[in-house]
Amino acid sequence: GAIEVLARHLVDASRSLALHIAGMSAIAAALSAVMNNVAALALLMPVDIQAASKAKRSPALTLMPLSFASILGGMVTLIGTPPNVVIATFREEALGAPYEMFDFAPVGLVVATVGVAYVALAGWRLIPAAPRAHDSTRELRDELREYVAEGGVKEGSKAIGMRLRELQDVADKDDVNLLGLVRRGRRVPGAARDEPIRKGDVLVLEGGAKGIEAFLGAAGLEYAGADKHGGVASDTVELVEVVVPQGARIVGRSALDVRLLYRQGVTLLGVSRQGRRFRDRLRKLEIQAGDVLLLLGEAKRLPDVVDWLGCLPLADTGIGVIQRQKAWVAVATFGAAILAASFGLLYLPVALGAVVVVYVLLRIVPLSRVYRTIEWPVIVLLGCLIPIGTALEASGGTALVAEAIVAASRGLPVAAVLAILMVITMTLSDVLNNVATALIAAPIGVDVATQLGVSPDPFLMAVAVAASCAFLTPIGHKNNTIIMGPGGYKFSDYWRMGLPLEILVV
C-alpha cells in the first residue's frame, strides 16, 4: 500500500495534462532510482491509467512519458536498472573493483534530470494524440460491473465523526458512491447524508471492485467478516469475482442462509445485478441467477467454495487485498537496507536479500510469491550471455570491434569516440535485451579505452547509460513492451518521442 499512499497524495486528475505528466514522471524517476525500473512502472501504471480515465484523457499521452522516465531514473544508482549491475560486475572481474551504490549518480543524475525535463515539457507533445482502443472489452466489462458492498466502521477509523456527505469527497477519488448507513442492524432512513458516523456503523457502498478495496483502505473501514479472515493483513486473503448460473446452490438463498462466512470462511463482499441497488443487507440478500458476486476469503479455499456454491469464476482481474498497516514497515526495512549498503556496512545483494527474508517473516510477502516473482528468464539469460561475452573477449572478438571503432575515429577527440560507442550501444539496445547489450558492449568499451590509453570508467559509464536508452522501439526495453497494449501504441510511435531523447542523452 506504500505506492497507494504516495499516489493518493500526489496524483490529482484535475491537474492539467502537462502538470500530471511532470508529476508522474518525477515520481517514476525517483522510484526507479531505488528499485528496478520495471517494478516502478508496474506500480505506477494502474495509478496513471486511473487518473487518465477520471480526466477523460487517452492513456496514450501519459504512459510513454511514464515508461521513459522510469528508465531514465534507473540510471542514478546501482540497483535501478540491470545494465548498471552488469557493468559493476564486469568492472569487478576485469579491473578488480566494483562500482558502489551511488557511483553512477554523477552521470546518471544529470542524464535523468535532463531527460525527465524533456519528457515532461516537450516529449509528450510528440506522441500521436488520438486515443486508440486498448482493451475495450475488458474496460466495458469493468465499467458495467458495479457492486453494492458494505464497509464496517472500526475503532480508529477516519470516518468516525464525519458525515456521510463529507466522506463522499474521499469516495469520489475511487469512483465509489455512498448509498446509505446501517446502524444496529437497521438502515438509517433516507440517504442519511447528514448523519454523523459512529463506531460499529456499516456503510453501504457502490463501485467497482478495485475502487471499493481502495476506498475501504483510505477511509479506515474494514471488510465484513474481517476478524474471521485474520483482518485484511492476512497474506493468503484474496478477492475473486464469480457469476451465478441457473441451478447454483445459492440461487434463491442468501449468504446467511447458506452460512457462507461461518461454514466456509468466505465473505460475500459485493453483488452486481444489472445496475440495480438493494435495500436489503448483503448477507440477507436473495441471490439470483446472473448476479456477479465479489467474494473474500483464503486463496487456497476459494476455488473449493466457489465450486460448492455452484458458481463460475471470472477471469483473474488481479484484485489484491492490500496490507496497508504494514506499508511503513515495508518502506523502513527497504530504506534501512539501502542506507546500510550506501555506507558500506553490508554488501548490496546481502542487504536486499535480508529485506526479502524480513518481508517473508513479517508475512508482507508470502514465501510462494517469492518463487513466483523471481525473474528466472533474466537469470538464465545472464547465465548464457556471460560466457558468450567472455568468449568474445578471450577469442579477440571484442578487440577486433574496438580496433575498428578506433580506426574509424582516428584523429577525433576522445569524447567523440565515446559518443560513437554510445550510438553503437544504443542501436544494439533498441533491438536486443539491455542486459545482453551491456554484456557485449562493456568489454568493447574497455578495449577501446586501452587502445586510446585513457581511463576505462567513462566508457563503462557510457555503456551503462546507452544500454538502458532503448527509446526507439517497443522491444528494446521491457517497460516499452508493457505499455504497448494499455497505451494502444504502434511500433512507429516510440521513435517520435524517443529519437530526440536519445540525441539529447548522447
Side-chain angles (χ1 to χ4, degrees):
I3 301 301
E4 182 188 73
V5 172
L6 182 72
R8 189 171 288 278
H9 287 88
L10 298 181
V11 178
D12 185 350
S14 65
R15 292 187 184 131
S16 68
L17 180 58
L19 276 177
H20 172 78
I21 291 174
M24 288 296 290
S25 298
I27 295 170
L31 283 177
S32 294
V34 294
M35 66 171 62
N36 182 280
N37 49 23
V38 178
L41 175 69
L43 288 168
L44 290 175
M45 192 167 74
V47 176
D48 189 70
I49 292 174
Q50 185 181 28
S53 175
K54 288 182 179 180
K56 308 298 182 186
R57 296 172 183 144
S58 167
L61 293 172
T62 58
L63 285 179
M64 193 179 292
L66 189 68
S67 172
F68 286 8
S70 62
I71 294 171
L72 289 161
M75 300 176 186
V76 178
T77 64
L78 173 61
I79 63 172
T81 188
N84 288 7
V85 180
V86 170
I87 295 300
T89 306
F90 175 79
R91 187 178 190 263
E92 184 173 18
E93 292 176 354
L95 306 177
Y99 285 124
E100 300 296 334
M101 178 70 172
F102 292 106
D103 286 349
F104 293 85
V107 174
L109 190 59
V110 174
V111 172
T113 302
V114 173
V116 170
Y118 157 78
V119 166
L121 297 174
W124 64 271
R125 302 176 192 276
L126 304 176
I127 304 170
R132 302 188 184 97
H134 55 285
D135 192 354
S136 56
T137 304
R138 177 170 178 170
E139 197 172 77
L140 181 62
R141 181 196 73 194
D142 290 342
E143 284 178 4
L144 289 175
R145 193 159 61 247
E146 295 248 313
Y147 292 97
V148 174
E150 294 178 350
V153 182
K154 60 183 179 180
E155 183 74 44
S157 170
K158 299 174 186 175
I160 294 175
M162 295 180 68
R163 300 179 189 278
L164 213 59
R165 56 181 169 79
E166 296 170 336
L167 196 59
Q168 184 63 56
D169 292 336
V170 180
D172 286 342
K173 293 184 178 180
D174 298 304
D175 290 331
V176 170
N177 191 28
L178 303 182
L179 303 182
L181 189 68
V182 176
R183 180 169 294 156
R184 298 190 186 92
R186 294 186 178 182
R187 187 87 173 241
V188 175
R193 310 301 286 176
D194 294 315
E195 186 69 27
I197 298 168
R198 304 175 190 170
K199 177 188 171 185
D201 286 352
V202 174
L203 302 184
V204 184
L205 329 166
E206 182 184 48
K210 290 185 178 179
I212 289 170
E213 206 283 333
F215 170 69
L216 290 177
L221 305 178
E222 65 179 357
Y223 295 92
D227 53 343
K228 184 81 173 179
H229 303 297
V232 293
S234 173
D235 55 21
T236 60
V237 170
E238 287 186 0
L239 294 173
V240 65
E241 295 175 303
V242 301
V243 65
V244 181
Q246 193 70 42
R249 180 191 297 267
I250 199 170
V251 170
R253 306 168 76 185
S254 67
L256 193 61
D257 291 337
V258 298
R259 302 187 68 78
L260 185 62
L261 179 60
Y262 299 102
R263 285 182 181 172
Q264 306 295 336
V266 170
T267 298
L268 175 62
L269 184 62
V271 177
S272 175
R273 181 180 295 167
Q274 300 176 336
R276 287 175 55 191
R277 296 177 179 177
F278 315 114
R279 299 297 301 177
D280 297 329
R281 295 292 306 277
L282 278 181
R283 58 195 178 92
K284 297 180 180 178
L285 181 69
E286 188 177 290
I287 304 301
Q288 298 177 6
D291 287 352
V292 179
L293 313 181
L294 184 63
L295 303 177
L296 173 77
E298 266 193 88
K300 62 184 180 182
R301 287 181 56 86
L302 276 172
D304 291 336
V305 175
V306 171
D307 186 58
W308 177 79
L309 288 172
C311 298
L312 303 173
L314 295 173
D316 181 22
T317 53
I319 305 166
V321 180
I322 296 173
Q323 306 177 56
R324 294 178 178 85
Q325 76 284 1
K326 293 183 180 179
W328 295 114
V329 176
V331 171
T333 306
F334 183 71
I338 297 299
L339 289 174
S342 302
F343 288 109
L345 301 176
L346 284 173
Y347 186 41
L348 183 64
V350 175
L352 295 181
V355 172
V356 176
V357 173
V358 172
Y359 283 179
V360 170
L361 292 176
L362 295 178
R363 302 181 75 191
I364 294 173
V365 179
L367 190 59
S368 59
R369 191 177 300 170
V370 174
Y371 291 107
R372 290 201 307 269
T373 53
I374 290 175
E375 292 199 50
W376 297 109
V378 173
I379 291 174
V380 173
L381 181 69
L382 278 168
C384 294
L385 288 173
I386 288 173
I388 291 174
T390 305
L392 278 171
E393 191 174 8
S395 64
T398 57
L400 284 173
V401 176
E403 286 171 10
I405 293 173
V406 171
S409 59
R410 198 175 304 281
L412 295 176
V414 176
V417 181
L418 197 65
I420 291 170
L421 178 65
M422 285 192 74
V423 171
I424 293 171
T425 307
M426 279 182 174
T427 304
L428 282 174
S429 189
D430 280 318
V431 294
L432 281 181
N433 177 280
N434 55 9
V435 173
T437 300
L439 283 167
I440 293 169
I444 294 173
V446 171
D447 283 348
V448 169
T450 302
Q451 293 186 33
L452 293 174
V454 296
S455 168
D457 282 318
F459 288 84
L460 287 175
M461 284 289 173
V463 169
V465 169
S468 294
C469 289
F471 299 125
L472 302 187
T473 68
I475 62 174
H477 197 286
K478 195 180 291 185
N479 280 15
N480 293 348
T481 309
I482 290 170
I483 64 168
M484 191 173 187
Y489 299 116
K490 293 187 295 187
F491 201 94
S492 59
D493 289 340
Y494 289 82
W495 69 266
R496 296 170 183 266
M497 190 168 88
L499 183 59
L501 179 56
E502 290 200 359
I503 293 170
L504 192 62
V505 169
V506 174

